[in-house]
């Protein structure tokens, strides 16, 4: 499942932290399951084991900061089970390992949340967009080995999800799957991952504005579902009819996934918009250019400056304080550039600045570099006496 499922591969290769966080989360779950088994057998667990477990959790937080929620869930569950010293040792070790990152964020940015998270949450975004993307991500997770193209409508995805869910419920009922799973596996070891996944769904859908990243943020839920599917298949595999159905579903699913691999990793369109933008900026070294998604473009051309605030605290603070137009003027940017829908927000902010600034700050579209809109700063002199 992990190797051949397109949805897993796409999020694991879209941002290095997702793969690292997944690895550490699996390591933490394995450690947690072993500690639970030992506790159930009446084996006394030494403090050093809890400390090592806490250290693994701490590194998981360093990989993705929202894993702090997972740590809190684990510690609370240990306290509920009255494993007080284990909870203290685990929580303390996790905090000590991750503390340098919390301290750095507070000292450098005045907030324990990194600038990337602050920047994502500072730009306006319709809440309905978050719900749409969360629904899309969850439908992709449930389908797992099947690839649902992004062009599929939300209604079609919801219909597919309901149909798939009905099929799963029917299979569980007819095969007594849940009862058989309980006799074969210690599924209660997955409870922290389940609570963590549900917490992430609620937080990123209703309290955080970054819909385009939700599929990546919900990776723990994808991991949970992959584990459940894997153990279910191992139980159902014993039946000849079920085995034939599983083979057929996997073959069909892999066919769907091949479509995804071909579409996303063997593109027919050879354009590389942000590279091309960086190359253009490199040819115009005397121009100062602001881009929301600076990434590879600023790597190629140092005269491209990040504007959304992920790696530019000055721009982030200006935006949070409603001074972005002032920042653009004072920093003497000659161009702003990005996807048209993105850069339109910046242009609107500039046009809605104070009347005195409108005469000093105006950007006019001058060119398209692939799908990147390039806007040049103009000066409008007042005609009033």
């Amino acid at each position: 499942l992990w190797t051949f499922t397109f949805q897993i591969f796409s999020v694991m290769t879209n941002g290095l932290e997702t793969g690292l966080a997944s690895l550490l989360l699996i390591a933490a779950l394995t450690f947690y399951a072993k500690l639970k088994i030992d506790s159930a057998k009446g084996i006394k667990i030494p403090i050093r084991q809890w400390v090592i477990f806490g250290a693994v959790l701490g590194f998981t937080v360093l990989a993705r900061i929202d894993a702090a929620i997972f740590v809190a869930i684990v510690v609370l569950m240990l306290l509920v089970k009255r494993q007080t010293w284990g909870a203290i040792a685990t929580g303390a070790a996790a905090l000590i390992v991750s503390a340098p990152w919390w301290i750095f964020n507070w000292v450098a940015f005045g907030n324990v949340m990194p600038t990337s998270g602050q920047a994502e949450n500072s730009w306006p975004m319709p809440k309905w967009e978050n719900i749409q993307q969360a629904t899309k991500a969850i439908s992709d997770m449930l389908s797992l080995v099947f690839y649902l193209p992004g062009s599929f409508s939300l209604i079609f995805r919801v219909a597919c999800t309901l149909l798939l869910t009905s099929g799963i419920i029917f299979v569980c009922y007819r095969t007594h799957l849940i009862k058989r799973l309980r006799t074969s596996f210690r599924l209660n070891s997955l409870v922290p991952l389940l609570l963590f996944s549900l917490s992430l769904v609620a937080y990123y859908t209703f309290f955080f504005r970054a819909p385009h990243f939700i599929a990546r943020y919900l990776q723990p839920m994808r991991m949970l579902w992959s584990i459940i599917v894997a153990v279910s298949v191992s139980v159902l595999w014993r039946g000849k009819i079920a085995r034939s159905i599983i083979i057929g579903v996997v073959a069909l699913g892999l066919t769907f996934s091949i479509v995804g691999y071909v579409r996303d990793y063997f593109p027919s369109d050879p354009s590389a918009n942000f590279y091309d933008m960086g190359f253009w900026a490199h040819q115009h070294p005397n121009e100062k250019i602001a881009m929301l998604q600076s990434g590879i473009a600023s790597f190629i051309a140092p005269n491209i400056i990040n504007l959304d605030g992920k790696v530019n605290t000055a721009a982030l603070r200006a935006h949070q304080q409603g001074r972005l137009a002032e920042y653009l003027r004072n920093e003497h940017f000659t161009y702003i550039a990005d996807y048209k829908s993105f850069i339109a927000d910046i242009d609107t902010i500039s046009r809605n600045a104070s009347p005195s600034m409108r005469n000093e700050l105006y950007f006019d579209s001058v060119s398209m570099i692939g799908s990147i809109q390039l806007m040049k700063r103009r000066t409008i002199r007042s005609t009033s006496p």
Side-chain angles (χ1 to χ4, degrees):
L1 282 171
W2 200 257
T3 302
F4 293 107
T5 300
F6 171 74
Q7 297 300 336
I8 292 175
F9 183 81
S10 63
V11 297
M12 293 280 282
T13 55
N14 182 14
L16 296 177
E17 87 286 350
T18 307
L20 180 61
S22 300
L23 172 65
L24 290 166
L25 195 53
I26 291 171
L29 278 171
T30 305
F31 217 111
Y32 177 77
K34 184 178 185 305
L35 291 172
K36 278 191 67 67
I37 292 170
D38 288 348
S39 296
K41 291 179 179 178
I43 299 174
K44 183 176 176 58
I45 301 173
I47 291 296
R48 69 173 182 275
Q49 291 277 60
W50 294 113
V51 170
I52 295 172
F53 177 44
V56 174
L57 290 173
F59 282 113
T60 308
V61 173
L62 291 178
R64 271 204 62 83
I65 200 166
D66 56 13
I69 300 172
F70 181 71
V71 177
I73 289 170
V74 169
V75 170
L76 285 173
M77 289 188 66
L78 291 175
L79 288 173
V80 169
K81 295 291 185 180
R82 298 186 179 181
Q83 293 177 296
T84 307
W85 285 111
I88 293 172
T90 299
L95 181 61
I96 290 170
V97 170
S98 60
W101 182 232
W102 300 109
I103 294 169
F104 172 78
N105 286 328
W106 184 261
V107 172
F109 313 126
N111 196 310
V112 293
M113 181 183 287
T115 51
S116 57
Q118 294 182 56
E120 285 291 348
N121 216 25
S122 64
W123 294 92
M125 189 69 65
K127 287 188 176 180
W128 174 244
E129 181 68 18
N130 266 24
I131 295 172
Q132 278 189 308
Q133 293 300 322
T135 303
K136 178 180 180 297
I138 292 171
S139 67
D140 287 338
M141 290 175 203
L142 284 175
S143 60
L144 205 58
V145 294
F146 291 94
Y147 167 70
L148 298 177
S151 57
F152 283 7
S153 68
L154 184 63
I155 295 175
F156 181 82
R157 285 179 173 276
V158 170
C160 288
T161 302
L162 291 175
L163 182 63
L164 184 60
T165 303
S166 301
I168 293 168
I169 293 172
F170 177 75
V171 170
C172 290
Y173 173 74
R174 288 300 301 270
T175 62
H176 306 288
L177 181 60
I178 296 176
K179 181 179 179 180
R180 293 164 68 182
L181 286 174
R182 285 176 176 172
T183 59
S184 302
F185 299 95
R186 294 178 181 270
L187 295 179
N188 58 356
S189 297
L190 296 176
V191 171
L193 185 59
L194 172 63
L195 296 176
F196 180 42
S197 299
L198 295 176
S199 300
L200 294 183
V201 171
Y203 176 66
Y204 285 120
T205 303
F206 301 107
F207 302 101
F208 198 79
R209 295 190 292 269
H212 42 288
F213 287 137
I214 283 182
R216 190 193 305 179
Y217 292 158
L218 300 188
Q219 173 72 348
M221 177 172 279
R222 188 177 290 104
M223 295 169 59
L224 173 66
W225 182 238
S226 299
I227 293 170
I228 292 172
V229 171
V231 297
S232 299
V233 167
S234 71
V235 170
L236 295 173
W237 188 257
R238 299 164 192 169
K240 290 184 178 180
I241 296 176
R243 189 181 308 173
S244 300
I245 294 173
I246 290 169
I247 292 173
V249 169
V250 170
L252 188 59
L254 289 177
T255 303
F256 271 72
S257 292
I258 289 171
V259 175
Y261 283 112
V262 171
R263 187 185 73 99
D264 283 8
Y265 295 96
F266 297 94
S268 57
D269 181 8
S271 63
N273 297 308
F274 290 95
Y275 173 83
D276 294 337
M277 182 64 225
F279 187 70
W280 184 91
H282 182 71
Q283 293 178 317
H284 299 77
N286 296 325
E287 307 293 352
K288 191 173 182 180
I289 306 156
M291 290 187 70
L292 288 163
Q293 304 177 89
S294 52
I296 191 171
S298 62
F299 178 78
I300 297 169
N303 54 322
I304 290 181
I305 309 299
N306 174 255
L307 192 58
D308 71 357
K310 286 189 179 71
V311 291
N312 184 354
T313 309
L316 174 62
R317 296 292 174 255
H319 174 60
Q320 289 174 330
Q321 297 166 11
R323 299 185 297 101
L324 191 60
E326 182 183 336
Y327 172 79
L328 289 169
R329 181 195 63 183
N330 295 344
E331 292 297 316
H332 305 290
F333 287 105
T334 51
Y335 289 92
I336 58 175
D338 216 294
Y339 288 139
K340 187 174 182 178
S341 58
F342 287 11
I343 209 64
D345 291 337
I346 306 302
D347 184 43
T348 301
I349 290 172
S350 302
R351 292 173 185 268
N352 292 338
S354 63
S356 61
M357 194 178 296
R358 289 177 196 165
N359 292 334
E360 306 175 49
L361 192 67
Y362 172 75
F363 291 95
D364 186 27
S365 181
V366 293
S367 179
M368 293 293 294
I369 300 175
S371 58
I372 303 295
Q373 184 172 21
L374 186 66
M375 304 185 75
K376 187 173 184 178
R377 179 176 175 175
R378 309 292 192 189
T379 299
I380 305 176
R381 299 188 181 281
S382 176
T383 57
S384 58

